[in-house]
């Protein structure tokens, strides 16, 4: 058993694609009486990657994001955020259709059309001003809607918290990224620069959230928060209410 775990960690350390290969086998680790965040069979790997990510963020990404936010005018910063949000709306459009959410797909399509044409390729979010707001969807959520509810927690190098299901979704969502198809318009270095700006911009937007993580065990805090957030998104904010169970009907008279 110990040797098996060692081989598993070794395979994972060779590359992120190992997460996809684990998709079928990791479900056997689930225990009915444990919450999803308590089912963490890859905790040794996850905590090691978490420490690496934490140091990379502390010494590289966070300082760069702070500098970026300091020197970038607010209008430009908002424009860059809007531009990448416009690209993400394509992902939302595709996954809304896959989930059968036709209304959300239509809203996402209109957002892309309006922001790309009237909003200077997305730098101005005119669609929100028109009252067009779409729920963000990705293929990890699509897999959840299709029935893959529970999934093993997986901390990804540089990418942060995920699950085997959501990492599989990331791979598929890559094909909905318009940047992928700009082979002739952008050179390889330019594509890398675009991705880097996206990462830095997103990190700069959440700088204020750093102080919220005051739990002594930040790893467990982030894991729990991630699971709750994904559960919320997959079910469109409709979470089971334990007090709605018939066992609680006796309390209604109080």
């Amino acid at each position: 058993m110990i040797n098996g775990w060692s081989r598993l960690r070794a395979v994972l350390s060779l590359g992120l694609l190992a997460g996809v290969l684990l998709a079928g086998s990791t479900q056997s680790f689930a225990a009915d009486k444990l919450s999803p965040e308590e089912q963490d069979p890859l905790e040794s790997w996850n905590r090691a990657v978490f420490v690496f990510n934490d140091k990379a963020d502390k010494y590289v990404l966070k300082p760069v994001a702070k500098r970026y936010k300091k020197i970038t005018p607010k209008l430009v910063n908002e424009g860059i955020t809007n531009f990448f949000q416009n690209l993400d709306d394509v992902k939302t459009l595709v996954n809304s259709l896959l989930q059968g959410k036709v209304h959300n797909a239509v809203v996402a399509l209109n957002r892309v059309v309006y922001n790309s044409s009237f909003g200077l390729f997305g730098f101005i979010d005119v669609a929100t001003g028109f009252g067009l707001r779409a729920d963000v969807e990705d293929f990890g959520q699509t897999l959840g809607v299709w029935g893959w509810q529970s999934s093993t927690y997986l901390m990804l190098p540089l990418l942060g918290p995920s699950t085997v299901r959501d990492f599989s979704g990331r791979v598929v969502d890559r094909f909905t990224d318009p940047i992928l198809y700009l082979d002739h318009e952008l050179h390889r270095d330019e594509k890398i620069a675009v991705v880097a700006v996206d990462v830095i911009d997103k990190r700069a937007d959440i700088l204020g959230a750093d102080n919220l993580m005051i739990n002594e065990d930040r790893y467990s805090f982030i894991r729990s928060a991630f699971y709750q957030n994904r559960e919320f998104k997959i079910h469109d904010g409709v979470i089971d209410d334990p007090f709605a169970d018939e066992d609680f009907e006796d309390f209604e008279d109080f």
Side-chain angles (χ1 to χ4, degrees):
M1 181 65 179
I2 296 177
N3 291 335
W5 275 111
S6 298
R7 287 195 296 270
L8 178 58
R9 287 195 297 267
V11 172
L12 283 171
S13 65
L14 291 177
L16 295 178
L17 289 179
V20 178
L21 299 178
L22 287 169
S25 62
T26 51
Q27 301 309 304
S28 62
F29 290 109
D32 294 336
K33 295 183 180 180
L34 296 178
S35 61
E37 55 264 32
E38 292 175 316
Q39 301 166 11
D40 194 357
L42 304 178
E43 186 168 356
S44 295
W45 156 268
N46 289 334
R47 283 189 178 273
V49 175
F50 175 77
V51 171
F52 168 78
N53 287 350
D54 210 30
K55 290 186 180 300
D57 181 71
K58 180 179 180 180
Y59 295 110
V60 180
L61 186 56
K62 187 175 180 179
V64 172
K66 284 184 174 180
R67 182 62 179 171
Y68 165 85
K69 191 168 186 177
K70 183 177 181 180
I71 66 175
T72 305
K74 182 178 180 180
L75 186 62
V76 175
N77 187 13
E78 291 178 351
I80 293 174
T81 299
N82 292 337
F83 172 79
F84 288 110
Q85 177 59 60
N86 189 47
L87 298 182
D88 286 342
D89 280 337
V90 177
K91 175 178 63 180
T92 291
L93 166 62
V94 173
N95 283 287
S96 294
L97 290 174
L98 292 175
Q99 296 175 34
K101 299 176 181 178
V102 179
H103 178 266
N104 202 61
V106 171
V107 173
L109 175 60
N110 285 326
R111 282 184 57 84
V112 173
V113 172
Y114 286 135
N115 287 337
S116 298
S117 55
F118 302 112
L120 301 176
F121 302 103
F123 283 96
I124 302 175
D125 184 7
V126 297
T128 298
F130 294 154
L132 296 172
R133 296 177 180 273
D135 294 329
V136 178
E137 303 289 349
D138 56 55
F139 197 69
Q141 292 169 248
T142 297
L143 291 173
V145 171
W146 286 355
W148 191 350
Q149 293 293 318
S150 299
S151 184
T152 300
Y153 189 64
L154 181 65
M155 183 66 71
L156 302 174
L158 301 180
L159 298 177
S162 185
T163 62
V164 174
R165 177 197 64 209
D166 293 331
F167 173 60
S168 303
R170 278 177 177 266
V171 176
V172 176
D173 282 332
R174 183 73 179 90
F175 294 97
T176 66
D177 186 355
I179 299 296
L180 179 68
Y181 303 99
L182 296 178
D183 290 330
H184 301 293
E185 287 77 4
L186 293 177
H187 296 293
R188 179 174 175 273
D189 292 343
E190 292 173 328
K191 287 184 179 180
I192 294 176
V194 170
V195 173
V197 171
D198 184 21
V199 172
I200 295 171
D201 180 72
K202 284 182 168 59
R203 182 62 181 92
D205 289 341
I206 61 172
L207 283 172
D210 291 348
N211 295 330
L212 297 178
M213 293 183 290
I214 58 177
N215 194 295
E216 290 185 3
D217 187 357
R218 295 178 63 250
Y219 169 82
S220 297
F221 177 86
I222 292 174
R223 180 183 61 189
S224 179
F226 174 81
Y227 267 115
Q228 292 178 43
N229 179 260
R230 294 302 288 174
E231 187 77 6
F232 184 88
K233 288 183 176 180
I234 290 172
H235 295 93
D236 296 328
V238 181
I239 306 298
D240 291 337
D241 182 3
F243 293 95
D245 191 272
E246 59 182 6
D247 294 338
F248 291 90
E249 290 181 354
D250 295 337
F251 292 92
E252 293 180 355
D253 296 330
F254 290 92

